[in-house]
């Protein structure tokens, strides 16, 4: 589980957003980081905005997700490199 405890920038009046946040907090697994990041959800919008505006509070809340994305990308890169070596 992934506890965000977000207040800003999610108004409680947006039930769809609250549902996405609850789903993320209940169901997130590190091996699904890229899936969560690339689907059209609050994760992509929030992380990108935080990085663009250098909002350290939000970046800190998503630090585990950002690290998981990095590790997943590194794993995929290693797999692709290994596949390329086998083809050559």
């Amino acid at each position: 589980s992934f506890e965000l405890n977000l207040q800003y920038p999610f108004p409680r009046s947006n039930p769809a957003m609250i549902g996405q946040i609850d789903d993320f907090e209940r169901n997130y697994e590190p091996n699904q980081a890229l899936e969560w990041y690339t689907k059209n959800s609050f994760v992509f919008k929030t992380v990108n905005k935080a990085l663009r505006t250098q909002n350290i509070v939000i970046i800190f809340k998503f630090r585990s997700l950002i690290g998981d994305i990095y590790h997943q990308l590194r794993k995929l890169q290693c797999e692709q490199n290994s596949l390329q070596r086998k083809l050559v």
Side-chain angles (χ1 to χ4, degrees):
S1 118
F2 196 102
E3 183 62 40
L4 288 175
N5 194 21
L6 292 173
Q7 307 297 322
Y8 166 85
F10 307 108
R12 300 306 289 176
S13 61
N14 186 340
M17 186 72 70
I18 301 307
Q20 288 180 6
I21 294 168
D22 290 343
D23 183 35
F24 179 79
E25 288 180 334
R26 275 193 317 276
N27 300 313
Y28 175 79
E29 296 291 331
N31 64 340
Q32 299 172 328
L34 285 173
E35 181 182 339
W36 275 100
Y37 182 71
T38 56
K39 71 166 118 174
N40 188 18
S41 73
F42 81 98
V43 175
F44 177 80
K45 295 171 191 167
T46 305
V47 171
N48 281 352
K49 183 176 181 180
L51 292 170
R52 276 193 322 274
T53 60
Q54 299 179 2
N55 184 332
I56 194 66
V57 173
I58 300 297
I59 292 169
F60 189 77
K61 287 181 184 270
F62 281 93
R63 69 191 179 278
S64 295
L65 172 85
I66 294 167
D68 293 341
I69 289 170
Y70 168 79
H71 291 295
Q72 245 187 312
L73 288 172
R74 289 287 294 159
K75 182 180 176 191
L76 289 170
Q77 181 185 32
C78 290
E79 289 170 3
Q80 286 181 344
N81 288 344
S82 177
L83 255 173
Q84 286 177 345
R85 278 189 229 115
K86 289 179 183 178
L87 294 174
V88 175

